[in-house]
């Protein structure tokens, strides 16, 4: 059984276990208030499933792409929960959850803020039914996206792309991707978050203090 968490768009938490036919998800839309929602959603999912934390075998963390401020909340929550119960953190790219279950080549687009979008292109799923990302994730201005995609030979190999503009990421789908990767003994997602840009707020350099001159 896996607990899955994603805050790359809204806030989404799910418990999944294909062997048990279990898929319970709680989500809250909006790109703010992740920190306030995440604990409550985890508690709600566990209560609905009547599952104790010790029954969970791993915590899936959606690693983006997504804005720094929101994305780090879910990753920190996943790491803290996993550490508390002594199970591994399983990183999965958030766009993979959108492409999960789609049979045709797909363009996944999510809001990256600052008048930009994050995009990934997927081909047909592999033999195990897992999403196959052929390009991305990358950033682009919405008006430039078509031109940007035209510069990739791997993208032009597709005659058409089904475009999906995802306002939210399903943690249940994220968990299904993780289950599939584990079952097929495939590598999980990138170990580091896919922020794609530096955080909005950075630490300033420390000021140099001149010691007083003594007589």
């Amino acid at each position: 059984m896996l607990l899955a968490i994603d805050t790359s768009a809204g806030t989404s938490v799910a418990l999944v276990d294909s062997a048990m036919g279990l898929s319970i998800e709680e989500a809250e839309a909006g790109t703010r208030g992740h920190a306030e929602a995440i604990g409550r959603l985890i508690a709600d999912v566990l209560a609905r499933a009547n599952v104790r934390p010790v029954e969970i075998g791993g915590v899936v963390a959606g690693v983006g792409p997504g804005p720094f401020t929101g994305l780090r909340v879910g990753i920190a929550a996943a790491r803290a929960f996993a550490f508390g119960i002594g199970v591994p953190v399983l990183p999965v790219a958030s766009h993979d959850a959108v492409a999960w279950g789609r049979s045709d080549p797909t363009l996944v687009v999510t809001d990256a803020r600052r008048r930009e979008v994050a995009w990934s292109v997927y081909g047909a799923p592999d033999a195990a039914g897992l999403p196959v990302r052929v390009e991305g994730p990358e950033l682009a201005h919405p008006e430039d996206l078509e031109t940007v995609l035209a510069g990739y030979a791997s993208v032009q190999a597709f005659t058409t792309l089904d475009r999906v503009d995802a306002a939210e990421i399903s943690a249940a789908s994220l968990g299904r991707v993780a289950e599939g990767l584990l079952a097929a003994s495939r590598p999980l997602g990138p170990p580091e978050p896919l922020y794609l840009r530096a955080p909005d707020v950075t630490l300033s350099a420390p000021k140099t203090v001149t010691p007083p001159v003594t007589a």
Side-chain angles (χ1 to χ4, degrees), residues 97-169:
V98 181
W100 169 254
R102 299 182 181 276
S103 58
D104 296 321
T106 301
L107 168 64
V108 175
V109 180
T110 53
D111 184 10
R113 314 265 185 92
R114 297 188 189 176
R115 299 180 181 178
E116 289 182 311
V117 294
W119 62 269
S120 297
V121 173
Y122 292 81
D126 65 15
L130 293 166
V132 176
R133 191 171 348 110
V134 296
E135 293 294 349
E138 297 288 349
L139 294 176
H141 293 288
E143 65 273 17
D144 298 333
L145 183 55
E146 185 174 341
T147 302
V148 170
L149 293 174
Y152 290 87
S154 57
V155 174
Q156 293 310 304
F158 303 122
T159 55
T160 60
L161 283 172
D162 290 340
R163 174 168 173 161
V164 180
D165 289 270
E168 300 176 12
I169 303 296

Side-chain angles (χ1 to χ4, degrees), residues 23 26 39 78 107 109 118 150 174 182 187:
S23 180
E26 292 282 347
L107 168 64
V109 180
L174 195 77
L182 292 172

Side-chain angles (χ1 to χ4, degrees), residues 14-35:
L15 273 172
V16 297
D17 189 328
S18 294
M20 296 175 58
L22 175 68
S23 180
I24 295 178
E25 184 171 17
E26 292 282 347
E28 190 166 292
T31 57
R32 299 181 184 276
H34 301 287

